[in-house]
Amino acid sequence: MAFCIITDSASDVPNWVKEEYNLHVIPTPVTIGDKDYLDGETIFPSEFYKIQQENKLDIKTYHISQYMFEQHFMPYAERGDEVLYICFSTGIAGTFQAANLAVQDVKEKFPDFQITIIDSKCASIGFGLAVYKLLRMQRNGAPKELICEAAEFFCANMEHTVTVGTLEYLRRGGRVTTLSAVFGGALDIKPILHVDEAGALVAAEKVRGMRKALKRCIDIVGEKGVSLDRQTIGIVYGSDDEICNQMIDQLKEKYHVKDVLKSQIGCAIGAHTGPEIIGIVYERAMDERFEAYL
C-alpha cells in the first residue's frame, strides 16, 4: 500500500514538479465557446491566453464534478493506496464538497479506502507550493503523520499577494464583489488582492499603475513574510513571462529568498483573472519540524 499525495489543476504546479514526482493532478473542466476542455490536459496556457485575449469566445470553468472525482479516486481504492488530496479553496470553488461526496460513493465499494482531503483555503501556486513541499518531505523520508500535519500547517500559513491588470474577469466570475472598494472610478487603478482566512479572494489595496502595483506586491512580501532567506516562495504569471522574471530578480535581490517556484497560471485560475496577473505566495510562519525534511 502506497501513501500518495495528489492535487488538482487549480494549484498550477509546474510541469517539472509533476514529472519529477509523478504527481497526479486532477484537471479542472473548462468550456470555451461550445467545446469542453480539461485544464492542463487538452488545453494549455499558451493557447488559452491567445483565445482569451481575442475575446471572441465565452469561457467558463466548472469545479471538478463528483463523477470525475470518483474516476480519479477509484484506482487508488482498488490498489489499497492511501491518499492525501490537497484541494482548491472552498472560498472560491465547490471542489472540496464534490470530492467528499465522491469519497462516499467510492467507499460503498471499497469501505477500507483511506483518503484525507484538505481544503487548502489557497489558490493557484498557494497550494501548489504546499504540495511541492509535501512531496519533498515525503522524498526525504518524513513519516506520513508528519506530512499530514505539515499539509494543514502550510496551507494555514500561506500568504497570497496578487495584482491583475483589470478586475473585469474577476467581476464576471463573481470572485470579487465590491469593485467600488478598489476601483473608485479612478483611471489606471490596479488592485492588490489577497486570500483571506475563509479562502476567498478579496481586494486589499488599490495602487495607481501596474509598475507601482508590482512594487507594492514586493513590499508586502517583506511586511508579511518571515525568514524569507530560508523560504522557497512561489510566483505565477499569466502571459507576461518577462515581468515574472523581473519580479523574481527583485525578490532575490531584496530578500535573498532561498528559492523560487515559478509557474504559469492555467485555465482554471486564468479564466477568472485575465492574462495580466502576477501572484506571489510565501509563508507567514515556519515550523522547524517540517523544515528539517526540506
Side-chain angles (χ1 to χ4, degrees):
M1 181 181 76
F3 175 61
C4 306
I5 300 166
I6 69 173
T7 191
D8 57 69
S9 69
S11 64
D12 293 321
V13 174
N15 287 330
W16 72 264
V17 173
K18 299 176 193 176
E19 294 168 3
E20 181 171 333
Y21 292 89
N22 194 26
L23 175 65
H24 181 178
V25 177
I26 304 172
T28 300
V30 182
T31 299
I32 302 176
D34 58 358
K35 190 172 180 180
D36 294 329
Y37 298 89
L38 293 174
D39 179 29
E41 286 195 4
T42 59
I43 184 77
F44 300 93
S46 57
E47 179 185 3
F48 171 76
Y49 286 116
K50 182 179 179 181
I51 293 170
Q52 188 180 56
Q53 288 170 321
E54 290 174 351
N55 201 28
K56 295 178 180 178
L57 297 173
D58 189 32
I59 300 173
K60 295 180 180 179
T61 63
Y62 303 88
H63 70 71
I64 302 160
S65 70
Q66 179 180 340
Y67 173 76
M68 290 177 67
F69 274 120
E70 288 178 32
Q71 300 305 301
H72 284 273
F73 291 159
M74 195 64 75
Y76 293 102
E78 292 171 344
R79 292 192 299 265
D81 293 338
E82 184 174 351
V83 172
L84 173 62
Y85 168 40
I86 315 298
C87 87
F88 194 15
S89 172
T90 52
I92 301 175
T95 311
F96 180 76
Q97 293 87 343
N100 277 283
L101 289 172
V103 170
Q104 294 176 23
D105 289 343
V106 172
K107 284 192 172 185
E108 288 183 3
K109 295 181 180 179
F110 298 93
D112 295 329
F113 178 46
Q114 297 295 311
I115 180 169
T116 300
I117 303 175
I118 292 181
D119 173 10
S120 69
K121 290 187 169 60
C122 296
S124 186
I125 203 66
F127 68 111
L129 177 59
V131 169
Y132 172 60
K133 288 164 70 73
L134 296 171
L135 291 168
R136 290 193 62 179
M137 286 182 64
Q138 184 179 43
R139 175 173 287 184
N140 291 331
K144 177 182 66 178
E145 294 76 16
L146 190 67
I147 291 172
C148 290
E149 190 177 346
E152 297 275 9
F153 181 86
F154 293 153
C155 292
N157 290 286
M158 199 67 71
E159 285 283 352
H160 304 64
T161 299
V162 183
T163 191
V164 292
T166 172
L167 276 174
E168 176 60 22
Y169 296 97
L170 288 162
R171 184 196 64 77
R172 292 178 194 173
R175 264 59 181 187
V176 170
T177 55
T178 314
L179 291 181
S180 59
V182 288
F183 267 144
L187 182 65
D188 201 28
I189 292 296
K190 305 302 179 187
I192 306 294
L193 311 169
H194 76 106
V195 175
D196 66 12
E197 291 183 0
L201 188 65
V202 296
E205 301 181 20
K206 57 183 180 181
V207 179
R208 185 181 294 274
M210 184 58 90
R211 180 176 295 181
K212 290 183 179 179
L214 294 173
K215 180 183 183 301
R216 179 61 187 139
C217 286
I218 295 286
D219 291 342
I220 291 172
V221 173
E223 294 167 8
K224 294 186 175 182
V226 300
S227 303
L228 291 168
D229 59 334
R230 296 168 51 207
Q231 281 199 42
T232 294
I233 68 170
I235 186 164
V236 282
Y237 67 100
S239 60
D240 199 330
D241 181 62
E242 183 178 349
I243 289 293
C244 183
N245 288 333
Q246 291 173 10
M247 294 289 282
I248 290 172
D249 290 342
Q250 291 176 50
L251 288 163
K252 288 181 175 179
E253 180 179 352
K254 188 166 186 176
Y255 302 121
H256 308 288
V257 295
K258 178 181 175 182
D259 199 5
V260 177
L261 184 68
K262 172 188 173 183
S263 188
Q264 187 171 20
I265 290 181
C267 315
I269 301 291
H272 304 286
T273 62
E276 294 179 272
I277 177 171
I278 290 287
I280 310 168
V281 300
Y282 47 97
E283 294 171 275
R284 59 173 172 262
M286 299 174 73
D287 190 315
E288 294 298 334
R289 294 175 303 151
F290 312 138
E291 296 303 313
Y293 288 95
L294 295 170

